[in-house]
């Protein structure tokens, strides 16, 4: 487990809303961190073995993600996907709201097959995980070179079309850490337009509002795929409008999921 993931455990312990009935225990986040460290290492090892047996298989990312998603039981998080991908295992650029490093344990069970994740180049230097990420057929990108951002995304778009796969992206470009949905970077939308494939937003409920790691039952997380948005006929002039449209739809979708959880817990909404 990375230092950032440990920091996020501490963050939730200090900032999450105690909305689930149970006995609050300040030592629970520490215990969970202690359990997640070997679990993360075990997940990386199991995933790496799978990818060595079948390197660059189109379903490696989905299957490895499921290994990590079981970590939500250690976190005490109940995860519910309200629907399945509207394009199945077809091509699309999936957009997900990025809240913190614990997303790796809460989000992944919802991924379809034939998908790759777009990750920053720095990930390749994480021992074991970097090799796993590469063999799982994911894609590294150098986000530091902003002067060639369009060219880079065009290259990734060509690769996505060559593989005929989908791509999973966090369009905010960084963790929101309880600040709500941050403004979107243009890269995901450039890529979708260049590849000529639809955009499919995935909304995850706000974990900082609904998860308290100081309780045995930490809380409920909801996820929902929105309808695909076609990029047919779009050009670079449409990037900003497409990004703004997706941002508005996801903001509304996240609010609806949060309201549903609030109703479950008798908090109105």
């Amino acid at each position: 487990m990375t230092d950032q993931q440990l920091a996020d455990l501490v963050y939730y312990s200090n900032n999450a809303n105690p909305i689930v009935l149970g006995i609050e225990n300040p030592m629970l986040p520490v215990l969970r961190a202690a359990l997640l460290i070997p679990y993360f290492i075990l997940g990386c090892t199991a995933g790496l073995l799978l990818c060595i047996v079948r390197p660059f298989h189109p379903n490696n990312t989905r299957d490895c993600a499921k290994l990590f998603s079981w970590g939500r039981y250690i976190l005490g998080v109940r995860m519910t996907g309200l629907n399945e991908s509207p394009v199945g295992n077809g091509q699309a650029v999936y957009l997900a709201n990025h809240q913190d490093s614990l997303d790796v344990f809460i989000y992944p069970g919802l991924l379809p097959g034939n998908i790759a994740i777009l990750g920053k180049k720095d990930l390749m230097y994480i021992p074991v995980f970097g090799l796993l990420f590469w063999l799982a057929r994911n894609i590294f990108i150098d986000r530091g070179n902003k002067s060639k951002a369009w060219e880079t995304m065009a290259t990734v778009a060509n690769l996505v079309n060559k593989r005929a796969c989908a791509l999973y992206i966090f369009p905010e470009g960084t963790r929101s850490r309880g600040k709500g949905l941050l403004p979107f970077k243009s890269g995901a939308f450039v890529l979708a337009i260049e590849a000529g494939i639809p955009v499919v937003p995935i909304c995850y409920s706000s974990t900082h509002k609904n998860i308290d790691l100081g309780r045995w039952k930490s809380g409920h997380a909801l996820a929902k795929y929105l309808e695909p948005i076609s990029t047919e006929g779009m050009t670079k002039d449409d990037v900003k409008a497409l990004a703004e449209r997706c941002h508005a739809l996801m903001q509304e979708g996240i609010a609806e999921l949060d309201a549903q959880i609030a109703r479950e817990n008798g908090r109105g909404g």
Side-chain angles (χ1 to χ4, degrees):
M1 179 179 293
T2 65
D3 292 341
Q4 185 59 57
Q5 286 168 327
L6 288 171
D8 285 330
L9 281 170
V10 174
Y11 170 81
Y12 272 118
S13 176
N14 294 332
N15 295 279
N17 292 332
I19 51 85
V20 183
L21 293 177
I23 299 173
E24 188 171 359
N25 187 337
M27 290 303 295
L28 266 181
V30 178
L31 174 62
R32 283 173 166 145
L35 292 174
L36 280 175
I37 291 171
Y39 180 81
F40 183 75
I41 295 172
L42 180 63
C44 285
T45 304
L48 183 57
L49 290 174
L50 173 66
C51 291
I52 289 174
V53 171
R54 55 175 207 188
F56 309 115
H57 189 281
N59 290 334
N60 274 354
T61 294
R62 179 199 65 189
D63 295 341
C64 289
K66 286 182 178 179
L67 292 173
F68 290 107
S69 73
W70 295 334
R72 70 184 183 275
Y73 296 113
I74 296 175
L75 294 170
V77 175
R78 182 164 60 97
M79 177 69 198
T80 303
L82 299 180
N83 59 357
E84 297 181 350
S85 168
V87 298
N89 292 337
Q91 282 192 278
V93 172
Y94 291 96
L95 310 176
N97 49 312
H98 193 13
Q99 304 188 63
D100 56 69
S101 296
L102 298 184
D103 294 349
V104 71
F105 299 113
I106 298 175
Y107 285 12
L110 208 65
L111 289 183
N114 191 34
I115 194 169
I117 297 173
L118 189 67
K120 57 185 180 180
K121 193 175 180 180
D122 296 350
L123 291 176
M124 72 169 63
Y125 302 114
I126 300 177
V128 183
F129 183 82
L131 181 58
L132 163 63
F133 195 84
W134 175 62
L135 287 175
R137 208 178 181 225
N138 295 308
I139 300 172
F140 294 104
I141 186 173
D142 184 3
R143 293 179 179 171
N145 195 344
K146 296 182 180 180
S147 63
K148 295 185 177 180
W150 188 282
E151 295 176 24
T152 300
M153 286 303 174
T155 301
V156 174
N158 289 332
L159 181 58
V160 167
N161 280 335
K162 183 179 179 180
R163 294 182 180 179
C165 68
L167 199 64
Y168 187 90
I169 298 178
F170 293 120
E172 296 159 281
T174 188
R175 307 170 188 86
S176 60
R177 294 294 298 275
K179 298 177 182 177
L181 192 64
L182 301 178
F184 287 171
K185 308 291 185 183
S186 62
F189 309 97
V190 170
L191 197 157
I193 290 172
E194 284 289 313
I197 58 180
V199 172
V200 177
I202 313 174
C203 297
Y204 294 90
S205 56
S206 302
T207 48
H208 71 282
K209 291 181 179 179
N210 305 304
I211 304 298
D212 180 3
L213 296 181
R215 294 176 179 269
W216 289 106
K217 293 182 179 181
S218 300
H220 193 186
L222 292 175
K224 183 179 181 180
Y225 287 97
L226 303 186
E227 289 299 311
I229 301 170
S230 174
T231 62
E232 185 177 356
M234 290 187 181
T235 68
K236 62 181 181 181
D237 294 330
D238 299 300
V239 168
K240 183 178 180 181
L242 179 60
E244 290 175 348
R245 178 183 177 188
C246 290
H247 191 280
L249 288 171
M250 289 184 68
Q251 202 161 39
E252 180 181 354
I254 294 166
E256 290 176 356
L257 295 178
D258 287 345
Q260 181 171 336
I261 294 175
R263 288 192 296 270
E264 290 176 4
N265 292 283
R267 294 183 288 125

